[in-house]
Amino acid sequence: MLAAVLVLAASTAGAAPPGGDRQAALLYLLRQDCGSCHGATMGGGLAPPLLPHSLAETPDDALIAAILDGRPGTPMPPWRFEISPDEAAWMVRQLKGGLAE
Ligand code: HEC
């Protein structure tokens, strides 16, 4: 009973980092969908690179906002309907850490 309440609380608050399956799905999304513009290894292509040294100067909040809301006037689309704010924050940490292979 207590476990069920905790799970419910975590999912409604949305504060939990993504679980293992979701992490794998987000990494797949990064390489496939994001990679179609940013390059499969995030080295850039149609869109700028998302490598640690390219992102180091940009605050996490700005990167998270770019993922959630896109960059209006550029090809960067919003992902808010597929990616939660916590998931976007997790993705930014992965990108800044260099996407552990
Ligand atoms: C249709 C092409 C396209 C796709 C798909 C795409 N992006 Fe982008 N993205 C761009 C472009 C173009 C920019 C540069 C926008 C600008 O000029 O500010 C950008 C910018 C960004 C930035 C800001 C980089 C910075 O240095 O400020 C981040 C972070 C980012 N994208 C992450 C993602 C993620 C994560 C995904 C997948 C969920 C994704 N993008 C999918 C085109 C794309």
Side-chain angles (χ1 to χ4, degrees):
M1 178 61 192
L2 182 58
V5 170
L6 289 176
V7 168
L8 188 64
S11 58
T12 49
D21 285 355
R22 185 62 182 154
Q23 288 187 8
L26 291 171
L27 290 175
Y28 183 82
L29 182 84
L30 265 176
R31 293 208 169 83
Q32 298 298 314
D33 294 50
C34 316
S36 66
C37 287
H38 291 280
T41 53
M42 304 297 129
L46 298 172
L50 299 179
L51 296 171
H53 68 265
S54 330
L55 301 178
E57 303 293 311
T58 311
D60 289 6
D61 284 355
L63 299 173
I64 293 167
I67 295 173
L68 293 175
D69 299 322
R71 288 265 171 86
T74 81
M76 176 63 188
W79 295 88
R80 189 177 283 283
F81 298 105
E82 234 176 296
I83 298 173
S84 76
D86 289 324
E87 290 172 348
W90 182 83
M91 289 168 95
V92 165
R93 285 201 299 279
Q94 301 309 303
L95 289 167
K96 283 194 162 177
L99 282 195
E101 291 297 326

